[in-house]
Every structure is written in C-alpha cells, then in structure tokens.
Amino acid sequence: MTITAIRGFNDIMPAETAIWLHIEEEARRIFRSYGFSEIRIPLLERTELFKRSIGETTDIVEKEMYTFTDRHGDSLTLRPEGTAPVVRAYIEHKLYKRPISKLYYMGPMFRYERPQRGRYRQFYQIGAEVLSEGSPKLDAEVLEMLMALLKSIGLKGATLDINSLGCRACRPQYKEKVKKFLETRRKVLCENCLRRINVNPLRALDCKSTGCKDATVDVPSILDTICNGCKEHFEEVKRHLSAFDIHPSINPRMVRGLDYYTKTTFEITAEGLGAQNAVVAGGRYDGLVQDLGGPDTPCFGFAIGMERLVLIMKDKEFVREPLLFVAIFGGSEVEMKGTEIIKELRDLGFAVEREYADKGIKAQMKKANKIGASFVLLLGKDEHDRGVVAIKDMKTGSQKDVKLDEIVEVLNKELSTIKKGE
Ligand code: HAM
C-alpha cells in the first residue's frame, strides 16, 4: 500500500513554488525597505506560551493545537501562529533594550482545523511584527506597506476592514455589554458560545455557526464603548491611512480569533476567496509583552496566509524564469566544449538543463520540449568546428547560428523580450 500525506498537510509542488518564491522575494524586498529584519523562530514551543497569549477560551487553544508531551514530560505545541513566539524571543533576548524592533518571519503554522479550500492543518504565513511603537502612524504605515506588497505581486480587489477593540481599561465594559446582550439570545446560541458567555463573550461575534451569526447582527458596536484615548488613536489611524490614499471599511463586529488584540485590528479579504476568508489579518497587541513577563510594550503586526494568497493569484498570468537547454552531440571534444558553455551560462545566472545520457539530437529536443525550455542551444560536431552554437527559439521554431562569444548577448536580448511578455 502506498503512503500518502496526512489530511490537511500539502506538498507544494515545483509547478507552484515559482509563485511562492516570487511572493517571498517581494515580501523580503519591501519589508527591508521599511526597516524590517528576519527572525527565525522554532516550530515547537511550550504549550503554556500559546495558552497565555492566544487565550485559553479561543478555538485555537481549545481545539486546534497539535500538543504532545515529550520524553521529558514537558507539554509542547507545534506553533499555531508566529506572534507569541516572536514576543517570547523578544523578551528572552531583551530586544526591548533597543528603541524599536521590526521583525518578520516566514514559515509553516499548524492548526487542527477542518480542511477545505484555503484552510489546511499545516499552512504557511508571512508575518511581520513591530515591537515598541504605539503611534497610530505606525499602524497606518504597516498597513500601507502591506497594501504596497499586495499591489507589487499583482493582487487586485483587496478589501481592508478595520476596527478598534479598545484597551485593557475600556474593553471590560464592552465585554459586559455583549454579555448582557447574549443573555437575551441564549436560545439561539451554539453550545460553545453559551459556555463562553461569562468568560469570553466576544468570541460569539467570531462564531461561524449561522445561529450565532444571526443572533449577533444587532450587537452593540464596540466603537460606541471604547474610551476617548482609544477613539482618538483609531481616528488618527484612519487619518494617516487616508493620507496614503487607503480608505478602509469600518467593521465594528470584527473581534479576531485571538485574545491578545487591543485597539486597531484589521483583516484583508480578496476576490475569489469568499468574505469569510481573510488573506491577511492582524492588529495591535499592546498588552502581550507584559502578559508574558516583559516590560509594557506597544506592538502591531500581521500575518499573510500564503496558500490563500497563492490560490487567488494562481489564475493570473505568471511569467516563470526562462529555462535553457543545451543539446550536445558529436563526440568527447564537443561534449567538453558543451559542458564548458553550460558552466559559464550557469555562473552568469542562467537556468540551464542538459541531457546526461548518450542520446541523439531528436531525443534531446524531445526532452527540451517536455521540460518547457524556452531556447535550445544546439552544439554538434559541425557547429563546434565552426565555433558557433545554433540557438533555437522553441516558441517560434526559428533558429540561428551564434558565435560562441556572442551567446550571452543574444540570449540576454531574447530573454528580456520573453520577460516583458512580447
Ligand atoms: P490569524 O488570523 O489567525 O492571525 O491568521 C492570519 C492569516 O493566516 C489568516 O488571515 C489566513 O490567511 C491564514 N490562516 C489562518 N489559519 C489558516 C489555515 N488553517 N489554513 C490556511 N491559512 C490560514 C494570526 O495568526 C496572527 N498571529 C496575526 C498577527 C500577527 N497579529 C499580530 N501579528
């Protein structure tokens, strides 16, 4: 019997990785220009870290974590997200001694969710966190960076929703309001939300069951309850966003599935995923560093869901790195020259493939065609003796002889027209 991958765990195949790489490279380039550096955090953390940060009564902690006891008897969890590990590292390495930390990470996260289109058990995030900056200008700038990234990778029709979840001083009043509101709707709430009414009533606003969704459509708006400081912060975020010509929708129902958020929260949805499927999400978490034993530190961050982003970009025309094929036939001297040409081209950064077995021109052309080579460089005994290679354009079928010292120039010219899509 063959062994298959685990449900919800995907192989990302070579045909797809080109687009993954393109997104990752653009993210690195843009993040760098906004002052971010990469942090690489472990896949495994102590379970306690996620319980204390994401919240004991969230779906993630209650039912979605991959938790196990190791041989030493410690409870460990495969990271379901990256913010808590980044904060742990920030405290552990005393990064709070620096004026500001702008960190980004890329990698897999694990949640035991019901797999479906755009929702998996192992999924990849590109996340960014700014620690030690509370200004609303920062919230707006990070959102602007995110929109710039989405634009640069060609994503159109992205919608930004924002909200404010208030601070530790004013949120309890809103919680109390929601609790009272939910009490009047007990009959229609799901079991989970009923159980959480007293401990975490806001979770009902994020519940996916239709009963709870319908029951909470006219829940009081959090924006009417937050304190003046939080209101002012929110107004400033909007003002700075509009200076960047970004005009988000205000969604006072958006509470997010993790408990650590304060003040600004946001989600970005895109055409082709459905309204429930955010492709990026994040916000402020001004209390988390302190909750985990560090100093009082305002923070803001986000995470992009890579699979979701790739899903909506898949249909787009995507220009792949062109591949060359060098077909060599005609004895050992020709073979040596061909190998030399391949090495030179590779050293210059061209992607080059070849045939290793002793095969004729026909078989080699067939292979070049199958692997999708854009150009084939033919080097037979005749070409070798004349000091040329024949370069064949696989799309048009046209072929011309090119002197050895002009190969690079000709290829650069031909390939630049391919990249431009001409
Ligand atoms: P999150 O909303 O749980 O936030 O996840 C962020 C994004 O990861 C989602 O919008 C979605 O695109 C993607 N995602 C989440 N779960 C899955 C899944 N099961 N399958 C595929 N994609 C998924 C966080 O994780 C926070 N740490 C974000 C953050 C950073 N907040 C502040 N800093």
Side-chain angles (χ1 to χ4, degrees):
M1 209 173 72
T2 52
I3 299 171
T4 55
I6 310 167
R7 191 163 123 84
F9 288 66
N10 299 312
D11 297 308
I12 298 145
M13 301 304 287
E16 267 179 83
T17 45
I19 192 163
W20 282 65
L21 275 173
H22 172 65
I23 296 170
E24 286 163 4
E25 278 164 12
E26 277 303 283
R28 284 181 198 283
R29 183 180 68 77
I30 290 174
F31 291 172
R32 202 178 305 124
S33 64
Y34 284 76
F36 284 78
S37 315
E38 185 176 3
I39 181 167
R40 299 196 181 192
I41 40 175
L43 294 189
L44 270 181
E45 295 276 357
R46 290 180 202 286
T47 305
E48 196 57 26
L49 173 67
F50 300 114
K51 284 192 178 170
R52 272 171 55 187
S53 53
I54 299 172
E56 298 257 12
T57 48
T58 55
D59 282 354
I60 298 180
V61 170
E62 277 186 354
K63 50 189 188 195
E64 293 172 2
M65 295 204 304
Y66 281 89
T67 298
F68 66 97
T69 310
D70 75 357
R71 288 167 197 275
H72 183 255
D74 292 329
S75 178
L76 305 180
T77 293
L78 274 171
R79 60 183 193 196
E81 59 108 48
T83 310
V86 167
V87 170
R88 194 242 340 113
Y90 175 84
I91 299 168
E92 196 168 330
H93 300 282
K94 298 191 175 57
L95 291 184
Y96 47 77
K97 291 192 168 163
R98 302 165 62 104
I100 187 168
S101 294
K102 292 181 168 181
L103 306 169
Y104 76 86
Y105 50 91
M106 299 180 179
M109 308 293 161
F110 305 85
R111 296 183 194 175
Y112 195 84
E113 292 196 77
R114 187 196 293 268
Q116 51 185 276
R117 187 172 185 268
R119 178 169 298 140
Y120 311 102
R121 290 181 174 169
Q122 173 175 313
F123 58 97
Y124 285 73
Q125 284 186 345
I126 296 182
E129 316 286 351
V130 180
L131 302 103
S132 206
E133 181 54 69
S135 165
K137 270 188 218 168
L138 185 269
D139 306 32
E141 188 183 88
V142 174
L143 285 168
E144 187 273 324
M145 170 178 87
L146 199 42
M147 297 314 256
L149 171 59
L150 296 180
K151 192 172 164 210
S152 89
I153 57 175
L155 185 76
K156 294 201 185 84
T159 315
L160 171 66
D161 275 31
I162 62 168
N163 189 22
S164 173
L165 287 183
C167 61
R168 303 260 154 127
C170 58
R171 176 103 56 87
Q173 290 149 41
Y174 184 62
K175 263 187 166 178
E176 207 45 47
K177 262 193 192 174
V178 176
K179 203 168 110 186
K180 283 200 181 117
F181 173 87
L182 293 176
E183 290 290 358
T184 63
R185 293 181 166 59
R186 273 188 168 273
K187 278 195 197 116
V188 279
L189 294 181
C190 76
E191 241 175 70
N192 243 344
C193 290
L194 275 177
R195 185 173 49 81
R196 291 167 175 169
I197 261 190
N198 287 318
V199 282
N200 204 344
L202 297 199
R203 292 273 66 87
L205 307 188
D206 199 35
C207 181
K208 285 163 190 100
S209 92
T210 30
C212 298
K213 270 188 193 158
D214 293 347
T216 56
V217 274
D218 50 350
V219 72
S221 165
I222 189 162
L223 297 174
D224 297 334
T225 311
I226 55 175
C227 62
N228 285 339
C230 287
K231 267 186 194 153
E232 209 171 290
H233 193 278
F234 194 48
E235 287 310 312
E236 282 297 288
V237 172
K238 287 190 283 183
R239 193 171 70 79
H240 290 293
L241 279 175
S242 80
F244 288 125
D245 204 21
I246 297 174
H247 307 283
S249 308
I250 312 301
N251 179 358
R253 279 187 57 96
M254 191 176 64
V255 290
R256 309 279 301 112
L258 306 95
D259 281 349
Y260 49 61
Y261 289 108
T262 55
K263 295 185 181 162
T264 323
T265 53
F266 74 93
E267 284 184 0
I268 296 178
T269 48
E271 285 163 14
L273 273 181
Q276 286 313 302
N277 277 341
V279 65
V280 191
R284 237 177 213 291
Y285 47 98
D286 289 350
L288 185 57
V289 175
Q290 205 166 29
D291 285 352
L292 292 176
D296 189 7
T297 310
C299 305
F300 184 90
F302 66 80
I304 303 172
M306 272 298 273
E307 285 83 354
R308 293 187 190 178
L309 192 54
V310 171
L311 261 178
I312 44 183
M313 289 188 53
K314 229 178 190 172
D315 310 332
K316 294 201 163 43
E317 195 58 33
F318 187 71
V319 183
R320 280 169 208 291
E321 243 346 273
L323 181 66
L324 306 175
F325 189 94
V326 178
I328 312 163
F329 45 98
S332 59
E333 210 182 319
V334 183
E335 164 82 28
M336 257 170 68
K337 187 72 206 166
T339 309
E340 202 181 287
I341 293 172
I342 292 173
K343 165 85 179 131
E344 269 172 34
L345 289 172
R346 284 180 175 156
D347 283 350
L348 287 169
F350 291 97
V352 189
E353 195 45 279
R354 61 166 298 165
E355 173 57 62
Y356 299 94
D358 219 358
K359 289 207 172 143
I361 171 82
K362 246 190 173 169
Q364 295 199 47
M365 288 306 289
K366 210 168 160 187
K367 179 171 173 179
N369 198 26
K370 270 197 176 157
I371 63 171
S374 305
F375 290 90
V376 177
L377 279 66
L378 294 139
L379 184 67
K381 176 103 179 61
D382 171 50
E383 285 81 9
H384 178 258
D385 291 348
R386 287 190 291 126
V388 298
V389 293
I391 297 187
K392 184 177 172 115
D393 183 332
M394 296 297 275
K395 204 168 168 197
T396 62
S398 70
Q399 185 175 319
K400 61 181 169 204
D401 285 347
V402 175
K403 283 195 202 131
L404 292 184
D405 56 1
E406 287 170 8
I407 297 178
V408 173
E409 194 188 324
V410 170
L411 284 174
N412 274 333
K413 207 168 137 214
E414 299 282 359
L415 293 177
S416 75
T417 49
I418 291 194
K419 282 190 182 167
K420 275 191 243 140
E422 286 165 19

